[in-house]
Amino acid sequence: MNPAQQMAEAVAPQPAPESEALVRTWAERREVERRGTHELADRLGQALAVELNDRRVEGGGWRHQIAPMCFVSLTLEHPSGMSLSLVHEGSHRKGAAGRRLTVRGGYPSEYIGWRAEAVTIGIDTSPAYQARHIVRRLLPEYQQTFTVARNVQQRVLRETDARRVLNRRMRTVLPALHAASWDQPHDADARKQSYWSTEQLRPDGSTAPHARCTGSVRLADHAESAEVLKLTGVPKDLLLQILALVNGQPVLEGRVMPRELGRFRPELPPASQVIRL
């Protein structure tokens, strides 16, 4: 150690034993409070799960999980996918108002529609009263909206699978297709937007002969059509080929050939009787 380091250590303020004791006491107090909060959340969740199962709510099967928070936060989960989150949000309030949990229904991540209004229950009330309040005030509307949300989730999953299949087929036709750099790589095959450019090369190092322009294609949600097809820098010969492909009524090709007509025939046969006026 050089003299400068020795002098720096000599003049550096040393923590007083009382400060260390205060810090240790504060940290221990916070840890005790955290453990007490988790134990309270565990008791509340276990008691509520038992009450909901005894009442055969959604056929039973409820279980609870606590969140590693510094406040009461737990979730009641059902095998059907339904869930109830209970969070202590009003600790700043005084009296009984600061001892209430906010209860909300959980929904699939694919759903962004209307949700059931949250309700509150008292932390210090009995589990039977808490369960009865949730069943009466929250569950009816939550069951209806969750059914809608589940239908939306299933539709989104079907559409995602359809886009995944079509994107793979598109890549076999045009290997230069790729996702954007900002797309999530874990499920790039389900993307809606794809891009390609002339810089794409084949495995042997040669340039793909038909990738002579840059462009993008955006699939519809259901992958039955492309909402947007954009090409830039298209050579004129390739442009004509593309226009011919998308033409729904191609021009007839060939040569007009004469054909022999039959003998003339009157349109109507002669009348058998003529009436004069």
Side-chain angles (χ1 to χ4, degrees):
M1 181 180 299
N2 56 46
Q5 293 177 340
Q6 294 178 355
M7 182 178 295
E9 290 186 358
V11 299
Q14 300 296 328
E18 297 82 1
S19 300
E20 293 181 356
L22 289 175
V23 171
R24 185 167 57 250
T25 303
W26 178 84
E28 291 175 352
R29 185 169 62 252
R30 292 292 297 173
E31 179 62 21
V32 170
E33 292 176 357
R34 187 185 67 83
R35 288 199 301 265
T37 299
H38 289 179
E39 292 174 359
L40 175 59
D42 187 53
R43 291 196 303 270
L44 290 171
Q46 185 175 4
L48 267 174
V50 170
E51 284 291 334
L52 294 177
N53 291 331
D54 289 344
R55 295 170 180 268
R56 303 299 299 171
V57 175
E58 292 295 317
W62 293 89
R63 59 187 181 88
H64 78 287
Q65 287 188 353
I66 61 174
M69 302 293 184
C70 297
F71 51 89
V72 176
S73 178
L74 63 107
T75 304
L76 296 171
E77 299 176 345
H78 190 265
S80 65
M82 299 178 68
S83 63
L84 301 171
S85 66
L86 295 86
V87 181
H88 186 202
E89 297 179 343
S91 58
H92 61 281
R93 298 186 179 95
K94 297 181 179 180
R99 299 280 297 173
R100 300 189 69 80
L101 297 176
T102 302
V103 187
R104 294 183 177 89
Y107 297 86
S109 58
E110 297 83 0
Y111 179 69
I112 57 175
W114 178 260
R115 304 182 177 221
E117 294 291 338
V119 299
T120 61
I121 57 174
I123 296 178
D124 303 316
T125 56
S126 65
Y129 175 82
Q130 294 172 351
R132 187 167 59 250
H133 187 74
I134 293 173
V135 171
R136 184 178 69 252
R137 298 291 302 278
L138 175 64
L139 209 59
E141 186 176 1
Y142 175 53
Q143 288 172 327
Q144 296 177 3
T145 52
F146 183 80
T147 300
V148 175
R150 176 56 62 87
N151 294 335
V152 171
Q153 181 191 36
Q154 293 175 353
R155 176 178 57 80
V156 171
L157 293 177
R158 289 193 302 267
E159 293 176 348
T160 301
D161 291 338
R163 291 197 307 273
R164 189 179 295 111
V165 171
L166 183 56
N167 274 318
R168 290 171 181 170
R169 294 182 59 187
M170 289 166 55
R171 195 164 57 246
T172 60
V173 177
L174 182 59
L177 279 173
H178 61 86
S181 58
W182 56 83
D183 285 343
Q184 296 296 329
H186 68 278
D187 198 13
D189 284 343
R191 65 184 180 273
K192 299 180 183 179
Q193 189 87 17
S194 298
Y195 304 87
W196 74 87
S197 67
T198 57
E199 298 299 326
Q200 297 297 325
L201 302 178
R202 287 179 169 177
D204 60 0
S206 62
T207 304
H210 291 290
R212 293 176 292 179
C213 60
T214 60
S216 64
V217 56
R218 181 173 179 83
L219 300 180
D221 291 340
H222 45 65
E224 294 295 330
S225 62
E227 294 179 344
V228 177
L229 179 63
K230 180 180 179 181
L231 305 175
T232 58
V234 182
K236 60 179 182 180
D237 294 337
L238 182 57
L239 172 63
L240 297 177
Q241 296 178 25
I242 294 173
L243 295 179
L245 289 175
V246 299
N247 182 19
Q249 297 179 346
V251 178
L252 295 178
E253 296 181 357
R255 186 174 58 178
V256 178
M257 299 293 293
R259 63 184 179 89
E260 184 179 357
L261 299 178
R263 296 182 58 187
F264 170 77
R265 294 181 181 179
E267 183 177 359
L268 295 175
S272 56
Q273 182 179 5
V274 178
I275 300 178
R276 299 183 182 275
L277 298 179

